[in-house]
Coordinates of all heavy atoms in Angstrom, one line a residue:
R1 N 3.5 -2.7 -7.2 CA 4.5 -2.3 -6.2 C 5.0 -0.8 -6.5 O 5.0 -0.4 -7.7 CB 5.7 -3.2 -6.2 CG 6.4 -3.3 -7.6 CD 7.5 -4.4 -7.6 NE 8.1 -4.5 -8.9 CZ 9.0 -5.4 -9.2 NH1 9.4 -6.2 -8.3 NH2 9.6 -5.4 -10.4
A2 N 5.3 -0.1 -5.5 CA 5.7 1.3 -5.7 C 7.2 1.5 -5.7 O 7.7 2.6 -5.8 CB 5.1 2.2 -4.6
H3 N 7.9 0.4 -5.5 CA 9.4 0.4 -5.6 C 9.9 -1.0 -5.9 O 9.2 -2.0 -5.5 CB 10.0 0.8 -4.2 CG 11.4 1.2 -4.3 ND1 12.4 0.3 -4.2 CD2 12.0 2.4 -4.3 CE1 13.6 0.9 -4.2 NE2 13.4 2.2 -4.3
D4 N 11.0 -1.1 -6.6 CA 11.4 -2.4 -7.0 C 11.9 -3.3 -5.9 O 11.7 -4.6 -5.9 CB 12.6 -2.3 -8.1 CG 12.0 -1.8 -9.4 OD1 10.8 -1.8 -9.6 OD2 12.9 -1.3 -10.2
I5 N 12.6 -2.8 -4.9 CA 13.2 -3.6 -3.9 C 12.7 -3.3 -2.5 O 13.0 -4.0 -1.5 CB 14.7 -3.6 -3.9 CG1 15.2 -2.1 -3.7 CG2 15.2 -4.1 -5.3 CD1 16.8 -2.1 -3.5
D6 N 12.1 -2.1 -2.2 CA 11.7 -1.7 -0.9 C 10.5 -2.5 -0.5 O 9.4 -2.3 -1.0 CB 11.4 -0.2 -0.9 CG 11.2 0.4 0.5 OD1 10.9 -0.5 1.4 OD2 11.2 1.6 0.7
V7 N 10.6 -3.4 0.5 CA 9.5 -4.2 0.9 C 8.4 -3.4 1.5 O 7.2 -3.8 1.6 CB 9.9 -5.3 1.9 CG1 10.9 -6.3 1.3 CG2 10.6 -4.7 3.2
N8 N 8.7 -2.2 2.0 CA 7.7 -1.3 2.6 C 6.8 -0.7 1.6 O 5.7 -0.1 1.9 CB 8.3 -0.2 3.4 CG 9.3 -0.8 4.5 OD1 8.8 -1.3 5.5 ND2 10.6 -0.8 4.2
L9 N 7.2 -0.7 0.3 CA 6.4 -0.2 -0.8 C 6.1 -1.4 -1.8 O 5.8 -1.1 -2.9 CB 7.2 0.9 -1.5 CG 7.5 2.1 -0.7 CD1 8.4 3.1 -1.5 CD2 6.2 2.8 -0.3
S10 N 6.1 -2.6 -1.3 CA 5.7 -3.7 -2.1 C 4.2 -3.7 -2.4 O 3.5 -2.9 -1.8 CB 6.0 -5.0 -1.3 OG 5.2 -5.1 -0.2
A11 N 3.8 -4.4 -3.4 CA 2.4 -4.4 -3.8 C 1.5 -4.9 -2.6 O 0.4 -4.3 -2.4 CB 2.2 -5.4 -5.0
H12 N 2.0 -5.8 -1.8 CA 1.2 -6.3 -0.7 C 1.0 -5.2 0.3 O -0.2 -5.0 0.8 CB 2.0 -7.4 0.0 CG 1.4 -7.9 1.3 ND1 0.2 -8.6 1.4 CD2 1.7 -7.6 2.6 CE1 -0.1 -8.8 2.7 NE2 0.8 -8.2 3.4
V13 N 2.0 -4.4 0.7 CA 1.9 -3.3 1.6 C 1.1 -2.2 1.0 O 0.2 -1.6 1.7 CB 3.2 -2.8 2.1 CG1 3.1 -1.6 3.0 CG2 4.0 -3.9 2.9
M14 N 1.3 -1.9 -0.2 CA 0.5 -0.8 -0.9 C -1.0 -1.2 -0.9 O -1.8 -0.3 -0.7 CB 1.0 -0.6 -2.3 CG 2.4 0.0 -2.4 SD 2.6 1.6 -1.6 CE 1.4 2.6 -2.4
H15 N -1.3 -2.5 -1.1 CA -2.7 -2.9 -1.0 C -3.3 -2.6 0.3 O -4.4 -2.1 0.4 CB -2.8 -4.4 -1.4 CG -4.1 -5.0 -1.4 ND1 -4.8 -5.3 -0.3 CD2 -5.0 -5.2 -2.4 CE1 -6.0 -5.8 -0.6 NE2 -6.1 -5.7 -1.9
E16 N -2.6 -3.0 1.4 CA -3.1 -2.8 2.7 C -3.3 -1.3 3.0 O -4.4 -0.9 3.5 CB -2.1 -3.3 3.8 CG -2.0 -4.8 3.9 CD -1.0 -5.2 5.0 OE1 -0.2 -4.4 5.4 OE2 -1.1 -6.4 5.4
N17 N -2.4 -0.5 2.6 CA -2.5 0.9 2.8 C -3.6 1.6 2.0 O -4.3 2.5 2.5 CB -1.1 1.6 2.6 CG -0.1 1.2 3.6 OD1 -0.4 0.5 4.6 ND2 1.2 1.5 3.4
I18 N -3.7 1.2 0.8 CA -4.7 1.8 -0.1 C -6.1 1.5 0.4 O -7.0 2.4 0.5 CB -4.6 1.3 -1.6 CG1 -3.3 1.9 -2.2 CG2 -5.8 1.6 -2.4 CD1 -3.4 3.4 -2.6
M19 N -6.3 0.3 0.9 CA -7.6 -0.1 1.4 C -8.0 0.6 2.7 O -9.1 1.0 2.9 CB -7.7 -1.6 1.5 CG -7.5 -2.4 0.2 SD -8.6 -1.8 -1.1 CE -7.8 -2.4 -2.6
S20 N -7.0 0.8 3.5 CA -7.2 1.5 4.8 C -7.5 3.0 4.5 O -8.4 3.5 5.0 CB -5.9 1.4 5.7 OG -6.1 2.1 6.9
K21 N -6.8 3.5 3.5 CA -7.0 4.9 3.1 C -8.4 5.1 2.5 O -9.1 6.1 2.9 CB -6.0 5.4 2.1 CG -6.1 6.8 1.6 CD -5.1 7.2 0.6 CE -5.3 8.6 0.0 NZ -4.3 8.9 -1.0
A22 N -8.8 4.2 1.7 CA -10.1 4.3 1.0 C -11.3 4.2 2.0 O -12.2 5.0 2.0 CB -10.3 3.2 0.0
T23 N -11.2 3.3 3.0 CA -12.3 3.3 4.0 C -12.2 4.5 4.9 O -13.3 5.0 5.4 CB -12.2 2.0 4.9 OG1 -10.8 1.6 5.0 CG2 -12.9 0.9 4.3
S24 N -11.1 5.0 5.2 CA -11.0 6.3 6.0 C -11.6 7.5 5.2 O -12.3 8.3 5.8 CB -9.5 6.6 6.3 OG -9.4 7.8 7.0
V25 N -11.3 7.5 3.9 CA -12.0 8.6 3.1 C -13.5 8.5 3.2 O -14.2 9.5 3.4 CB -11.5 8.5 1.6 CG1 -12.3 9.4 0.7 CG2 -10.0 8.9 1.5
L26 N -14.0 7.3 3.0 CA -15.5 7.1 3.1 C -16.0 7.5 4.4 O -17.0 8.2 4.5 CB -15.8 5.6 2.8 CG -17.2 5.3 2.6 CD1 -17.8 6.0 1.3 CD2 -17.4 3.8 2.4
A27 N -15.3 7.2 5.5 CA -15.7 7.5 6.9 C -15.7 9.1 7.1 O -16.5 9.6 7.7 CB -14.9 6.8 7.9

């Protein structure tokens, strides 16, 4: 997680965003 209490920076959301970013970089 990128923040202790911010749900928008939770590990779940960070996972979604990192994977989207990675496929975009490849594209």
